[in-house]
Amino acid sequence: DAGRGHLQFLERRALQGSHRELNVLTLRETDVIRLLASGCSYGEIAARLGISAHTVGSHIKNAYRKLEVHCAAAAVMRAIQLEVIGSGD
């Protein structure tokens, strides 16, 4: 049946889309968002990860773009929704 085949196609596509979203951030971007969620400043994140504060800013900017958000709180909430980080991170 054509309708059932189309529905199966859409279900597969939705699963593939959600799989891509779960891997949207690099490991470093995930680390930065996790530390941001725990209340660390850019300077503290830089010190913990052994990178410059400028690099932290670049990772955060890239994560915001990928998560389609404009602030830290929204980035953390979106990362939790996508299960990129846990709510206890």
Side-chain angles (χ1 to χ4, degrees), residues 45-68:
I45 294 169
R48 287 191 188 194
L49 298 179
I51 58 178
S52 73
H54 176 77
T55 301
V56 170
S58 294
H59 287 308
I60 289 175
K61 181 180 79 170
N62 291 335
Y64 284 11
R65 179 180 46 78
K66 291 176 181 180
L67 295 170
E68 299 177 335

Side-chain angles (χ1 to χ4, degrees), residues 13-75:
R13 191 138 186 209
L15 286 173
Q16 290 169 349
S18 64
H19 181 357
R20 276 195 307 272
E21 285 182 351
L22 291 177
N23 296 314
V24 70
L25 300 180
T26 66
L27 290 175
R28 186 57 95 184
E29 290 163 353
T30 301
D31 290 341
V32 169
I33 294 297
R34 185 174 286 118
L35 289 169
L36 197 61
S38 72
C40 292
S41 69
Y42 283 29
E44 291 168 332
I45 294 169
R48 287 191 188 194
L49 298 179
I51 58 178
S52 73
H54 176 77
T55 301
V56 170
S58 294
H59 287 308
I60 289 175
K61 181 180 79 170
N62 291 335
Y64 284 11
R65 179 180 46 78
K66 291 176 181 180
L67 295 170
E68 299 177 335
V69 298
H70 301 286
C71 69

